[in-house]
């Protein structure tokens, strides 16, 4: 029988130094939660609780576990955590545009509200397309997100079904209505359009046009509010309405005012479906030497910063977009914690900000 080329003693020492064989670890050497538990001298469940809900363990124990985490370089595996809880720590957020300042403010409110939480955000851009919203929901829903925040109430039947069966809190934003999927926070676009038009009527304007681009469902409701106010005052004329499905822009606003004046040369007021169009209308009035507000009054919608900075400053309907994002997160977190809000529909309203463009 051949002998071991290294005796037991030789294996233990080599040139007077101890030979240490690294302990194998599942996962190719990446520290696990079990390693943290051994290092801290506690159970793995305690470590998990301390990392997920630090308020449920003592301060001394948190420090003890954090020291072990730091020493080992442990990084929680979000995929493993999701598998363990059967729920991803993700808020799915669907908006129609990531470049539109209106929705950018909503998203900022969502991000700021989740910045100190364990939840991450997965953004989806529907590009104002019902089919794209369906596709994104088919991607998001199977991942079992902690919550879904979705812009609007005009989902296709399939999108509505996907939201109803998502098995998580759902908050629709930027609207109000009587039949939310789950929860809803926003304002009435119809009331906003009506209020804007009534302001122009009260200021003495009579041949008031509506100018709108893209004309998604929210803009359609603003148009309906405009028409209701004009009909109530006996002033409505179809020739006063100028719309296009083209993407909204300041340049397009200039072109649409020219079209509106071609149809109704006596136009003396304009309600625009957003501030980009309103600013374009203002620029075209400057180019054509049309006095604002004496000859034409202008009012926009959403009240972006440029409305106050314009000359003359432009009246607009202010919407509380950042607060809508913040409130949507607040409602979703309450539902996740088992404290589902009693008020499922929250109307944050709007403000009519009167400025020089309607001060006749």
């Amino acid at each position: 029988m051949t002998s071991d080329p290294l005796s037991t003693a030789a294996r233990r020492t080599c040139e007077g130094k101890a030979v240490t064989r690294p302990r194998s670890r599942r996962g190719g050497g990446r520290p696990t939660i079990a390693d943290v538990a051994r290092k801290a001298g506690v159970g793995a469940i305690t470590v998990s609780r301390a990392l997920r809900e630090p308020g449920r363990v003592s301060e001394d124990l948190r420090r003890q576990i954090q020291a072990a985490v730091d020493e080992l370089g442990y990084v929680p595996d979000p995929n493993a955590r999701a598998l363990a809880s059967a729920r991803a720590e993700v808020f799915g957020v669907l908006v129609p545009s990531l470049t539109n300042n209106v929705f950018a403010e909503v998203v900022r409110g969502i991000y700021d509200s989740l910045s100190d939480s364990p939840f991450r955000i997965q953004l989806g851009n529907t590009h104002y397309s019902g089919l794209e919203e369906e596709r994104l929901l088919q991607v998001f829903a199977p991942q079992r997100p902690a919550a879904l925040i979705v812009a609007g109430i005009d989902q296709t039947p399939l999108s509505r079904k996907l939201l109803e069966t998502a098995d998580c809190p759902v908050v629709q934003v930027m609207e109000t209505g009587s039949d939310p999927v789950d929860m809803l926070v926003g304002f009435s676009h119809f009331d906003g359009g009506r209020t804007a038009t009534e302001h122009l009527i009260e200021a003495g304007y009579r041949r008031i046009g509506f100018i709108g681009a893209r004309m998604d469902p929210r803009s359609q409701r603003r148009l309906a509010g405009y028409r209701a106010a004009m009909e109530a005052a006996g002033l409505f004329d179809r020739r006063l309405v100028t719309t296009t499905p083209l993407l909204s822009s300041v340049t397009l606003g200039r072109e649409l005012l020219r079209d509106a004046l071609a149809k109704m040369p006596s136009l003396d007021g304009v309600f625009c479906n957003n501030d980009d169009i309103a600013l374009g209308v203002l620029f075209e009035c400057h180019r054509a030497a049309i006095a604002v507000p004496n000859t034409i009054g202008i009012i926009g919608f959403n009240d972006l910063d440029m409305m106050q900075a314009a000359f003359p400053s432009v009246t607009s309907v202010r919407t509380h977009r950042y607060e809508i994002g913040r409130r949507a997160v607040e409602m979703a977190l309450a539902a996740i914690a088992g404290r589902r809000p009693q008020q499922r529909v929250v109307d944050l309203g709007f403000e009519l900000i009167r400025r020089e463009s309607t001060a006749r």
Side-chain angles (χ1 to χ4, degrees):
M1 184 174 85
T2 60
S3 61
D4 189 337
L6 285 178
S7 66
T8 301
R11 286 198 301 269
R12 288 177 180 167
T13 61
C14 180
E15 297 181 349
K17 296 182 180 180
V19 177
T20 303
R21 294 183 178 177
R23 182 179 62 186
S24 62
R25 180 185 290 131
R26 184 178 59 184
R30 178 176 178 174
T32 68
I33 199 167
D35 297 322
V36 175
R38 279 191 294 269
K39 174 67 70 174
V42 298
I45 293 177
T46 303
V47 173
S48 178
R49 183 181 298 119
L51 296 177
R52 290 169 58 87
E53 302 175 86
R56 294 186 60 187
V57 300
S58 69
E59 184 176 350
D60 289 343
L61 192 53
R62 282 202 306 272
R63 290 176 178 172
Q64 180 180 334
I65 292 171
Q66 188 60 49
V69 167
D70 294 342
E71 183 176 344
L72 293 173
Y74 171 71
V75 178
D77 183 347
N79 293 323
R81 181 181 295 177
L83 287 172
S85 63
R87 174 78 59 194
E89 290 185 339
V90 170
F91 270 51
V93 179
L94 296 183
V95 293
S97 172
L98 297 178
T99 56
N100 186 321
N101 287 333
V102 173
F103 293 102
E105 279 292 289
V106 177
V107 172
R108 187 169 70 88
I110 293 170
Y111 268 95
D112 286 355
S113 299
L114 289 173
S115 61
D116 294 327
S117 79
F119 297 102
R120 295 170 289 121
I121 295 172
Q122 184 176 8
L123 272 176
N125 185 352
T126 68
H127 300 283
Y128 294 91
S129 166
L131 293 178
E132 179 65 8
E133 185 174 64
E134 288 178 0
R135 189 189 72 80
L136 288 171
L137 285 173
Q138 287 171 326
V139 172
F140 280 27
Q143 298 176 16
R144 303 207 61 186
L148 286 169
I149 298 176
V150 183
I153 56 175
D154 299 284
Q155 282 76 32
T156 65
L158 175 56
S159 288
R160 174 91 186 193
K161 186 68 174 178
L162 289 167
L163 290 172
E164 289 173 342
T165 58
D167 191 28
C168 69
V170 174
V171 187
Q172 294 161 284
V173 298
M174 295 296 286
E175 299 272 7
T176 57
S178 59
D179 187 29
V181 170
D182 183 7
M183 295 172 284
L184 178 62
V185 55
F187 61 93
S188 169
H189 293 264
F190 176 90
D191 288 347
R194 181 172 57 187
T195 297
T197 308
E198 288 173 346
H199 168 66
L200 287 168
I201 294 171
E202 291 167 2
Y205 300 98
R206 289 296 176 267
R207 290 170 297 281
I208 302 166
F210 177 92
I211 294 182
R214 188 187 289 279
M215 298 309 295
D216 58 47
R218 284 169 288 276
S219 290
Q220 293 287 353
R221 283 187 268 278
R222 295 170 201 171
L223 171 58
Y226 155 85
R227 178 165 183 164
M230 292 291 283
E231 288 180 342
L235 300 173
F236 181 72
D237 185 326
R238 292 182 183 276
R239 293 174 298 170
L240 290 167
V241 177
T242 304
T243 63
T244 176
L246 297 176
L247 300 182
S248 179
S249 71
V250 175
T251 300
L252 183 60
R254 297 184 61 180
E255 297 171 2
L256 290 176
L257 178 61
R258 290 197 288 268
D259 292 343
L261 288 170
K263 293 189 299 180
M264 182 71 70
S266 59
L267 190 74
D268 70 350
V270 178
F271 168 42
C272 304
N273 77 318
N274 63 47
D275 288 342
D276 288 345
I277 296 297
L279 196 61
V281 168
L282 177 65
F283 288 166
E284 182 59 22
C285 285
H286 289 334
R287 187 201 65 79
I290 300 172
V292 177
N294 290 334
T295 302
I296 285 185
I298 304 171
I299 184 168
F301 202 97
N302 284 312
D303 195 37
L304 303 180
D305 288 344
M306 58 189 177
M307 295 295 97
Q308 184 174 357
F311 180 79
S313 58
V314 181
T315 298
S316 190
V317 176
R318 177 175 294 171
T319 57
H320 306 293
R321 304 173 299 278
Y322 180 88
E323 177 63 15
I324 286 172
R326 193 196 68 78
R327 187 67 67 89
V329 170
E330 181 182 281
M331 296 168 75
L333 289 175
I336 291 169
R339 302 186 304 273
R340 185 171 290 275
Q342 292 184 350
Q343 187 178 358
R344 295 174 57 214
V345 178
V346 176
D347 186 350
L348 293 180
F350 52 83
E351 297 177 70
L352 178 66
I353 307 300
R354 295 172 173 82
R355 296 196 179 97
E356 296 167 337
S357 68
T358 58
R360 201 173 205 179

